[in-house]
Amino acid sequence: MPGQQGPNAQPIIWQPSPNFGDRPADCAIDMLVLHYTGMPSGEAALARMCDPASQVSAHYMVEEDGCIYQLVTEAKRAWHAGRGQWRGCTDVNSRSIGIEIVNPGHEFGYRPFAVRQMDAVIALCKAILGRHTIPAHNIIAHSDMAPERKEDPGELFPWEQFAVEGIGLWPRIDASDHSPQNTAEIITPKDGLSGSQSPYHDDKVASAIAAEEQTSPQNAAALMDGIAANGNDNTQNGSEDCEALFDRLLLQFGYGPGDPVYNRIAFQRHWRPHCLDGRADAQSIAILKDLIDQCPPLS
Ligand SMILES: [Zn+2]
């Protein structure tokens, strides 16, 4: 309901939008989609979402200073997600709550999210999770459900911090100590995106991941070292094997059957944000495998 208290007893400002509809009868709310506004200012985004001609809205918008606006009550279906899918759901609006987070985005000057803004979004997400049963694997970026159309909230969004706060999934393996350069150097081909020079066969990546799981090191360095030691035979098929494995796992995790390169980049943008090259490298695959292990099987 409008008029709730925000974080630190801050009021949530009720700024009603006409852009909403009914959720289907008996439709559970079990998804949370995070966006950035991608407009020059929060004021402009709010005006657009309240303009009936725009046909877009969200349940909430959070300004950079932490101010929270509510545009649509949670019981209603806001129009934020659009075409796309996640874990087989193609009508994400019906099942989700959408939060727009003010940031100019990649088009107008993407910048780090403000601390006060993130504190407000975290508090808001926690309140939402208290009202609805939303599993961690259904807390997603707009780009996860629409990889070919969307990049938001983008690679600067602090997903790891959110996961620490109990909001969303994060890999349990530590891949943070690999610079983008090292990651690219060690485990990805040096030629083009769709090149076929990757040194790693599907089975070698898989066995390296299995070894990592058995010994349970908290550091992905072990995986990298293992793969670097084992997989050095360049073949024309190696890259395709890796890519096929990565793409299959992405579908298993929840991405839709669109262009697989967009799926890979969307995945990296969310869960391996220091290197968005769209390549099926071992670190990306290891992270993805760990996330799948944290989810129920996709029916
Ligand atoms: Zn969006």
Side-chain angles (χ1 to χ4, degrees):
M1 284 295 294
Q4 298 162 89
Q5 295 292 298
N8 307 318
Q10 167 195 350
I12 293 179
I13 301 166
W14 176 235
Q15 179 76 47
S17 165
N19 301 329
F20 68 88
D22 289 329
R23 295 185 191 271
D26 302 323
C27 182
I29 295 170
D30 66 355
M31 303 177 79
L32 179 58
V33 183
L34 302 189
H35 305 257
Y36 65 45
T37 50
M39 293 183 69
S41 72
E43 196 177 28
L46 197 60
R48 179 163 186 260
M49 289 192 284
C50 292
D51 176 359
S54 76
Q55 299 281 292
V56 297
S57 64
H59 293 92
Y60 298 96
M61 188 188 89
V62 181
E63 263 286 8
E64 291 187 298
D65 65 1
C67 185
I68 302 175
Y69 295 89
Q70 182 167 15
L71 293 80
V72 176
T73 60
E74 292 178 4
K76 295 296 184 181
R77 182 178 180 277
W79 302 340
H80 60 94
R83 179 167 44 84
Q85 68 169 282
W86 182 252
R87 289 178 73 86
C89 173
T90 54
D91 181 5
V92 174
N93 280 338
S94 284
R95 284 174 45 180
S96 66
I97 288 174
I99 302 175
E100 287 281 356
I101 301 160
V102 173
N103 189 299
H106 294 86
E107 189 176 352
F108 294 103
Y110 191 41
R111 58 192 183 215
F113 294 89
V115 171
R116 272 194 297 181
Q117 184 183 34
M118 292 299 92
D119 289 346
V121 177
I122 287 169
L124 177 60
C125 287
K126 285 181 175 177
I128 291 167
L129 295 179
R131 291 190 284 272
H132 308 282
T133 303
I134 301 176
H137 56 261
N138 276 351
I139 298 173
I140 57 171
H142 196 193
S143 52
D144 292 320
M145 58 142 296
E148 295 176 43
R149 297 190 299 118
K150 297 294 178 181
E151 299 180 322
D152 62 313
E155 62 276 10
L156 296 178
F157 192 79
W159 289 106
E160 182 174 12
Q161 181 192 353
F162 273 60
V164 167
E165 296 283 352
I167 304 159
L169 286 179
W170 194 252
R172 295 166 296 189
I173 59 173
D174 178 10
S176 61
D177 57 344
H178 288 266
S179 69
Q181 293 80 3
N182 286 342
T183 303
E185 187 101 0
I186 296 171
I187 57 178
T188 65
K190 293 180 178 63
D191 53 358
L193 188 64
S194 58
S196 55
Q197 297 294 314
S198 169
Y200 309 116
H201 283 295
D202 183 326
D203 58 343
K204 285 180 175 163
V205 173
S207 65
I209 292 168
E212 194 271 343
E213 283 175 336
Q214 280 200 345
T215 54
S216 300
Q218 290 299 301
N219 196 326
L223 174 66
M224 299 303 111
D225 292 345
I227 290 173
N230 288 325
N232 247 342
D233 55 334
N234 283 286
T235 70
Q236 289 299 310
N237 292 328
S239 177
E240 277 143 19
D241 290 344
C242 280
E243 289 168 357
L245 171 65
F246 193 27
D247 296 341
R248 184 168 70 249
L249 291 174
L250 286 166
L251 297 180
Q252 191 180 327
F253 184 40
Y255 286 90
D259 185 327
V261 176
Y262 284 94
N263 280 352
R264 292 178 214 155
I265 293 171
F267 172 80
Q268 291 171 340
R269 203 183 288 285
H270 187 153
W271 283 287
R272 211 281 296 270
H274 67 259
C275 182
L276 312 178
D277 60 7
R279 291 174 179 173
D281 61 78
Q283 188 181 55
S284 295
I285 293 170
I287 290 169
L288 176 53
K289 183 71 168 56
D290 179 71
L291 294 173
I292 289 171
D293 288 346
Q294 297 182 53
C295 296
L298 195 54
S299 55

